Amino acid sequence: MDEEYDCIVLGTGLKECILSGMLSVSGKKVLHVDRNKYYGGESASITPLQELFQKFGEKEPDEKEHGRGRDWNVDLVPKFLMANGLLVKLLIHTGVTRYLEFKSVEGSYVYKGGKIYKVPVDQKEALSSDLMGIFEKRRFRNFLIFVQDFQENDPKTWKDVDPQRMTAHQLYTKFGLDKNTQDFTGHALALYLNDDYINEPAANLIRRIKLYSDSLARYGKSPYLYPLYGLGELPQGFARLSAIYGGTYMLNTPVDEIVFEGSSVAGIKSGGVVAKCKQVFCDPSYVKERVKKTGQVIRCICLLNHPIPNTRDALSTQIIIPQNQVNRKSDIYVSLVSNTHQVSAQGWFIAMVSSKVETSNPELEIKPGLDLLGPIKQKFFTTTDYFEPIDDGKDSQVFISKSYDATSHFETTCLDVLDIYKRATGEEFDFSKIKLENEDV
């Protein structure tokens, strides 16, 4: 360990492992350290099931009822991958897909007026959806045709819409879409976290809807993918990639301090040994004096012995509850996975309900999501602080990831990773540097 490295990465959460892989394939000499004896950090998968019950102070689960403990892999921060999204592109371009197997998620739903509806994404679904009245269906169909035909580099496809000057709100108004349609379009199709986007350029909204429909087109049932055996496989896949490119991994290694020379980082000290480096990348837990709390996230892991009602018995699904439907400032996210992804015993399902905390009673805040699940066998609530770095890291060369947000998909996670990489290296990540052959998911 007492060598000199280009980069030292602290923590093996998914963001840190992706960065470690990206830095390694870009030719950096990387040391990757975690104080825990397992991969994943805050985004770890818990197995066997007994460990999950112990973590939350519950008595041991009954194997007769819950099946073998080792058949369970419960993600503490479950998130789905957009089939055509940033993380899948990173996985393919870096060759990590050779270590992982994915399966599509069966359903994608949105909440309106106390009920859930399949998210309509093409002309046919727009006309058959119960989300809208007959005239609104036609207006929404015209909107979808416009989005599908739109090409950013071909102004002939813009049809009197200037995507940079016109706002998302003005685009909705042009097509006559009502508030409910704007709600599910912005939150369940474009996956915005709140309504701030409404005054941003329409180009951003169009791009996000196209990502959803392009992702859906790859597999048909929904735009989402999930790895077999849970998300715990993802950090390990990137760790293997880093090792191939010469990265060094050390689990169960305490980090006593980050060493500075002047205002810039010079290394880390562990057990009296100093490993020198030019840059440090880490999650907020390693540098509490360099982050600020900007909110909290409430999550509830729920064990069910049945699918979510009104989802056509889907074995895996996502439901988004737009903020306006439940008088909130942020959405509520519901995800469901099961034995079809090898994360639970046969006949069991793992649901997660999550949102940004807005009141002093966060458990009550996510009740609309919990009420959709039907009978719940076991609940595990967590409220975690959301941290962001206090600066961009360029002066100290300490680059810190944000905490994981409440979303049930990975797009915000990848944006943070790519932003950190750009700040640290001064350039966008160049996928052409990868020597491994591309393999599709």
Side-chain angles (χ1 to χ4, degrees), residues 158-171:
W158 295 1
K159 297 178 183 168
D160 302 325
V161 171
D162 185 328
Q164 293 302 336
R165 289 191 178 176
M166 184 179 275
T167 65
H169 181 260
Q170 289 168 331
L171 183 65

